[in-house]
């Protein structure tokens, strides 16, 4: 760790000690699941979505594996099988328990997982209190960001469970509604050579680095996200039945999957409803359209005579914009509308909904993975996925930044994924 | 209902009232699940195995649908969606909730299902107390036998969950072991014309009827079930690598599935273990081999220069034999050995393990399904399955009889299914 | 071979020498393919249907493997790879070339396969001329019957190819049509104890043996096959949309496969057409319904308040009936109608269409497979299949007999499979 | 068409008239298939590879659909079904015949396809002779390039057929071997802002346009392709067994597919062989490694402490380099080695083997598809694929250029795809 990086850490530490940051994040995970029934902790509603209990255990396993065991050679795990059961995908640690079977593990129980959390937390706190080295701090910091990522997944995976249950149970109390949004307009950006990515100092994932230059042509970005009402026009204009609007893979996919609307949209007797984590509600025209796949985003954009932004167009637009918006801290767990503001400004860059970009998820020039097994964290997934930017209503505000790259496969839509339109030219 | 049948019902009723029989069966279901953690109730470890919670709800749905609603037109269900969620396969009631998604239902909670059970039980008891007609009694009786079937499935489905968990949690306290079994010998039966099936009076499933005649050649049946030790010889003699021992479908199946031993057998450093519901234990050579598929049963029998019995050979051998053995009432939940008895007698006909037969599951001559939607109970499954006979350690003693036909697909092996060898001729 | 068997062989030999029988059968295979284009020889239109070229080669491989190589130790195959490429399923000979890839073999060419045929034929003739032993004769006879079976498959597999080609090319010249059939009536048969199966002497497949006794209740059989017109009534009565008519497996299958009519039925603007090997033609109401699966047969029978016959009911009805009808020798390659005959008699027992029975394909009591690798001929397929009886318009007349058991899976329908209804009772 | 473009066309036309260019290309397709047996024309050895006959018909369909029908309203097709049968993926023309069933079409015969070719050719020549407009010329030119693409596919699809046949038949006469190659070295390129893509004038596919600028960091490219000998070292160093070398998708894929070497490599008793279109031959260590997937390319590069080039690095390196090399005109149909040349220069940029890049196949800034149904030509495939550059031994020399973008999915390897290593920095 160089001086700048250490400096940055110290500045953060002035606000909050490492132990506090660590414990604060750990407690946030428990807060997210506090309202659950025991039964909700174990369900894996589809292969890509894990049970909340698994997330609670895996984020603990991460510390146990990458912090506790390397720094405390005397450590004896109470349950040696957990190393296998809660390994997500780190082949360097051994063959992981099959991802698609996570919902089959009724044991350990929720209480046993909570005990496991407490035991490992004690170990980490002891190490932090014991005068730790930089590498240990680096790993704890990574563990904190790792847990933030899984907190978002707890919300989205839980929504997939509850939102596909015929009873549509509510996770939180409030339903979100919205006033008429700011009129759709495009904001122009001049082209040129830009610096993108994360600097070496401060925390960022390896996939945000190194800083590098990209050349962009002039471009325009929509001032806000596409709304449910606008998306409904696309549906009503037979958007799901016109192959010329879709990528070939997308057209095949909606045919096989039978998709005719975003995830969580329900049509009853001609009326549209949407499942929010507060329950099933009449579709709100003025809220952002969310839970759409990249394929749907592309088809909508083509229909709207626009396109998806690239990840760097988004990042250039976000340069200097304050990170604020509708995040998980609001506990709304649903995107909110954008009303009564200037149409000439860019809104909703952060929070509300992840924004699909047309950029495939790949390594930046000079990209280096983390050393050792932690090198499996990001790099090995750099194929066939697209980058999303900006965070969502299920992202922690402290977790997001302009250089942050999220990534999912084009057909994925159980995340809070939405769409900001883009166009060529300087306007 | 004819006079004989009514008579039979009255005789039973002398021993125990209908309300008592009903409530007794209902309580047995709860007793089976009393030791579970809440987490265990919801897991569906494979498509064919349902969560215990689902069994508890579905057996309630059965009464609600076929007893309460038809006999009480004023009945208002608290949860109308349950009609859809807990329908197993009765198309006459509407399209059922997808079978493979039963493990995705974290709601209703276990407590809500218990409340549902209590509400419907109250309704049934009221109807029974109200001077009920024969058809209602017939349906309640069917419901009782239906629940007994699901009690066995609770045990086997739960075993599949726990027995595939890397922690191998115990469901009950005891591990079963055994002394050296009675020496294997064959008991000869003369051929001839025999009457098989269930008489019209008394309870039996439609698939056991009508009584009819079959002609059998002389045959011999082994005096007991094949043991683990014997089965291990088959494995050690490369039984799983010799295609000439297997049916073509079986050979394909073990190749695709990678089977090299019965379900729940675990090999560690050359030593064999078996998961019993009491936990993982050293393989007991003298216990019956159990959790084998029909394909494995056929291969073993071919290797042993024998064959599977037909269902009627079994039934003829069982004629006049008292129904006794190791049933669910023993709460061992594992087959027991057979030792120190006459080798000239047939042992273990009932209980311990279901015995695969070579008979495909089909309709008896003159077979009639139950009227209406209940006609879907048995008849529509009469293709591609084989009959098993005799009950197992997870079957209630009161549930089994000589004419009882269980049926599963040849590759199925999560039931307590074992093998009794047969040979041609009069010995 | 015992004396009776040898006697039987001699009697046949009086009519036709073994060499002549052998060569006659071989020439029939070539006659069947004489009208093909080279392009038609190689197509495998689905996994279960093999290319004509493969059938021509495999029937040659059979002689090479089971006759030439064992009896001529000096024999050197020109193409050693053929042993692998044209092995169907005999694991005793080595791992066969993957069945689903037979259509990928553009080489050897048709001409090379014809050369292979000629070379092996020369070898067989030399052995037959050289004063052969009984076992060699037994194998040649088996080879002849084996080739007859594949001749039928050449026709049905070719039909699947041409009948699914958008051009609907004709294989033969004539289209079959029919007058109004004999009125549907049931013929009653008394129950009792019957002897079924094939005697030891004379040729029969191992699966027809041994002779044994079965007890049947009285039954009735329809006097003819179900016709297209009758089947169309079932369709128009929403037969494919009523789950209560179907076995559970059948209902699932037609749902997944999207079946709404028999194979080769085509609906254009409300008019029904049927592909015959003579081309696409208006559906003939009076012809037998053919190319239906067992699942469709069961649903139709249930709808018609009837059932499928058992294989033994069919065999008892066929006892003493002369083997005559519409076979492959007629070169019509399509079932014909049954008109102007007595309604009190059983018609169409032989030829026209294989008749689905409700009997699962299993071993007769005392069944023994052929010794050695030839034991794989029949026995290993005795699971999950149903027996069909009577032969079809694509069967050679010399190939069929009362005890003959054909077998296919319940969803199969690319064979000429039809339906004769049955009912209980003596009428 | 603007003046520059017209000018360009005229210049080409000075060398060769449009009719001659058209007919020349058409004859090349026939020359490629002249040595085939009729049986070879129809085989579809896997879903992605089409039969040669289909390619011959589809390239004709392309002219019929996009040239003849629009410009000759009186045109009557002899076989209206061909519009459906030989449509590849143009939904604007109607639902295409299922791609995976192309090998099931024994009709039309090869001769009928040749007749179809001749008829449509006559029509095109008549239109070209009749004083055609610019749009017609544009389409004929596209048709010519389209047919060049399918000529390459004829070679690769045929190789997949023959190279998976146990007889390993030869398509051409010569086997390719090689001397020791030039020593591996890296050539450094300075970073900066570069113009990439195709200019508006002259022929290029829509996906190569528009010209645009990209910023590159300094980079180094290997002076030649990776050889078989080098790739064998990777294998012998357990490259296929070390997950840390692979992308997650790649690791999963080789596990499922069982890959342990490039396509067409065969190991017999420890010796390696490679199928070339001239037959099966001992593996030549000095020839380029070919038929590797992008996943294998990435794993090899990681093992070699290098990476894949981006498509723009390749294009910048190719700027000003003459298009010459080992193309289909050489009729070798296999990559050749590179020996005895300066190690400081870049070799083999063109021909021999397509070079995988790390660039996902996407639209250039300002990308526009062709108008109408032809817009489906390229754009709709811009997801999940990677760009390959430079052409191969199966590409026509006239077909390739510096801006040419080929694209396949990361697991694809039946094309002649190889690898040039890249590294960061200016060396």
């Amino acid at each position: 760790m160089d001086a700048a990086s250490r400096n940055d850490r110290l500045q953060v530490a002035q606000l909050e000690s490492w132990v506090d940051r660590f414990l604060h994040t750990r407690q946030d995970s428990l807060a997210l699941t506090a309202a659950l029934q025991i039964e909700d902790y174990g369900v894996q509603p589809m292969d890509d979505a894990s049970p909340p209990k698994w997330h609670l255990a895996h984020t603990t396993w991460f510390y146990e594996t990458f912090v506790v065991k390397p720094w405390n050679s005397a450590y004896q795990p109470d349950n040696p099988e957990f190393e296998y059961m809660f390994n997500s995908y780190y082949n360097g640690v051994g063959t992981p328990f099959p991802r698609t079977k996570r919902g089959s593990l009724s044991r350990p129980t929720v209480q046993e997982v909570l005990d496991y959390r407490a035991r490992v937390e004690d170990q980490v706190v002891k190490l932090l209190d014991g005068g730790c080295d930089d590498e240990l701090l680096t790993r704890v910091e990574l563990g904190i960001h790792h847990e933030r990522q899984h907190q978002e997944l707890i919300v989205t995976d839980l929504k997939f469970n509850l939102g596909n249950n015929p009873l549509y149970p509510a996770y939180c109390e409030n339903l979100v509604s919205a006033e008429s949004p700011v009129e759709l307009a495009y904001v122009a950006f001049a082209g040129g050579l830009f610096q993108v990515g994360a600097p070496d100092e401060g925390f960022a994932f390896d996939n945000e680095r190194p800083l590098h230059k990209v050349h962009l042509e002039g471009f325009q970005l929509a001032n806000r996200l596409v709304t449910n009402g606008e998306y409904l026009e696309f549906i009503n204009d037979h958007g799901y039945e016109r192959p010329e609007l879709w990528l070939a893979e997308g057209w095949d996919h909606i045919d096989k999957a039978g998709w005719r609307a975003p995830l969580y949209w329900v049509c009853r007797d001609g009326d549209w409803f949407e499942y929010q984590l507060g329950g099933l509600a009449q579709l709100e025209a003025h809220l952002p359209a969310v839970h759409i796949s990249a394929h749907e985003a592309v088809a909508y954009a083509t229909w709207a005579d626009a396109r998806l932004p690239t990840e760097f167009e988004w990042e250039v637009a976000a340069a200097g914009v304050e990170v604020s918006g509708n995040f998980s801290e609001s506990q709304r767990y649903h995107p909110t509308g954008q009303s009564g503001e200037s149409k000439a400004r860019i809104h909703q860059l952060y929070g509300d909904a992840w924004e699909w970009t047309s950029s495939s998820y790949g390594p930046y020039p000079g990209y280096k993975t983390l050393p050792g097994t932690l090198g499996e964290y990001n790099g090995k997934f750099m194929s066939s996925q697209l980058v999303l930017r900006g965070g969502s209503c299920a992202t922690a505000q402290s977790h997001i930044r302009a250089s942050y790259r999220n990534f999912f496969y084009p057909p994925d839509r159980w995340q809070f994924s939405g769409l900001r339109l883009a166009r060529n030219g300087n306007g």
Side-chain angles (χ1 to χ4, degrees), chain A:
Chain A
M1 181 175 290
D2 60 14
S5 172
R6 180 186 303 268
N7 217 30
D8 172 78
R9 286 246 169 72
L10 287 172
Q11 285 174 350
V12 169
Q14 289 172 341
L15 305 171
E16 190 177 24
S17 78
W18 279 104
V19 168
D20 287 349
R21 275 184 78 193
F22 168 70
L23 291 177
H24 183 177
T25 311
R26 300 288 290 174
Q27 285 149 9
D28 282 353
S29 297
L30 299 190
L32 272 178
T33 52
L36 298 188
Q37 300 292 330
I38 293 289
E39 289 87 341
D40 300 326
Y41 281 89
V43 169
Q44 178 173 33
M46 65 159 173
D47 288 356
D48 284 334
S50 296
K53 187 175 71 176
W54 186 90
H55 288 297
L56 294 179
H58 167 68
T59 48
T60 305
W61 172 94
F62 191 90
Y63 286 110
E64 187 186 43
T65 301
F66 296 116
V67 176
V68 177
K69 287 182 180 173
W71 267 265
N72 178 357
S73 58
Y75 175 73
Q76 291 289 340
D78 287 359
N79 296 75
E81 288 290 336
F82 287 8
E83 175 173 304
Y84 162 60
M85 295 171 85
F86 299 121
N87 179 0
S88 52
Y89 53 67
Y90 294 86
N91 291 306
V93 181
T95 302
F97 184 81
R99 176 189 186 82
T100 59
K101 293 285 181 192
R102 291 175 185 166
S104 293
L105 296 171
S106 68
R107 312 292 179 92
T109 63
V110 172
Q111 187 55 52
E112 288 164 347
V113 166
L114 296 180
D115 295 346
Y116 174 49
R117 287 182 67 89
R119 279 198 311 275
V120 172
E121 281 167 16
D122 282 352
Q123 292 282 329
V124 173
V125 168
K126 261 183 217 150
L127 288 169
L128 285 173
D129 283 344
C132 53
D133 58 32
D134 273 353
E135 178 58 19
L136 188 145
L137 276 193
T138 298
R139 297 225 178 159
V140 170
E141 188 173 36
L142 183 63
I144 289 170
H145 288 276
H146 175 256
E147 186 143 5
R148 288 278 176 232
Q149 293 182 304
H150 281 276
Q151 286 166 3
E152 176 149 4
L153 293 174
I154 286 173
V155 175
T156 56
D157 295 359
L158 193 64
K159 184 168 182 180
F160 199 88
N161 169 14
L162 301 177
N164 283 291
N165 187 306
L167 301 173
Y168 295 109
Y171 165 71
C172 58
E173 292 198 0
N174 302 314
L175 286 169
V176 176
S177 61
E179 300 297 303
S180 185
V182 62
E183 187 188 343
L184 181 71
Y186 285 85
V187 179
F189 294 82
L193 201 58
F194 298 93
Q195 181 163 267
V196 293
D200 287 346
E201 60 273 18
F203 180 82
F205 286 113
D206 57 5
N207 62 18
E208 303 168 51
R209 287 177 173 143
L211 272 183
H212 65 288
K213 281 176 265 179
V214 295
H215 177 267
L216 301 180
E217 306 290 323
F219 63 94
Q220 306 177 64
L221 290 187
N223 57 346
R224 59 162 171 77
L225 301 175
V226 170
T227 65
N228 284 336
E230 289 161 349
Y231 199 89
L232 197 52
E233 285 179 55
F234 165 71
I235 294 177
N236 292 337
D237 196 28
H238 305 285
Y240 282 82
E241 297 145 45
R242 292 163 55 183
E244 71 272 19
L245 301 174
W246 297 76
L247 289 169
E249 285 190 326
W251 183 248
D252 286 353
H253 190 86
I254 65 167
D255 179 48
K256 266 184 219 132
W259 289 357
R260 290 296 176 268
L263 182 59
Y264 303 126
W265 286 35
V266 179
C267 194
R268 288 185 172 164
D269 303 329
D271 288 327
W272 284 101
F273 296 81
E274 182 181 21
Y275 177 73
Q276 301 182 10
L277 274 163
L280 193 66
Q282 195 105 21
L283 184 75
E284 287 278 335
H286 300 327
L287 289 178
V290 71
H291 297 296
I292 58 172
S293 64
H295 290 314
E296 288 163 301
V298 166
Y300 179 90
T302 303
W303 173 80
D305 200 20
R307 60 171 174 81
L308 268 56
T310 70
E311 64 168 320
F312 301 124
E313 288 170 346
W314 188 95
E315 190 168 336
V316 163
V321 175
E322 185 199 15
V323 175
S324 72
N326 174 27
F327 291 108
S328 65
E329 285 83 353
S330 77
Q331 300 187 27
R332 287 193 196 97
Y333 305 119
H334 203 80
T336 47
Q338 192 65 30
S339 63
E341 305 219 24
S342 160
K343 67 180 262 196
R345 285 208 307 115
I346 291 275
H347 302 292
Q348 297 181 299
L349 270 178
Y350 290 107
D352 284 326
W354 289 99
E355 304 180 19
W356 281 112
T357 75
S358 62
S359 298
S360 70
Y361 177 52
Y364 284 170
Y367 170 65
K368 283 203 185 347
T369 57
L370 297 173
T373 300
L374 280 169
E376 299 187 51
Y377 199 108
N378 275 313
K380 73 180 186 182
F381 301 108
M382 289 179 171
S383 61
S384 308
Q385 308 205 49
L386 293 177
V387 173
L388 301 97
R389 294 292 197 125
S392 82
C393 58
T395 311
Q397 181 160 1
S398 68
H399 186 62
I400 199 73
R401 56 197 160 267
S403 61
Y404 194 102
R405 307 170 82 199
N406 202 352
F407 47 93
F408 283 94
Y409 292 94
D412 289 343
R413 58 181 201 169
W414 89 107
Q415 297 302 302
F416 287 90
S417 49
L419 171 62
R420 178 186 305 277
L421 296 173
R423 283 184 174 161
N424 299 327
N426 295 320

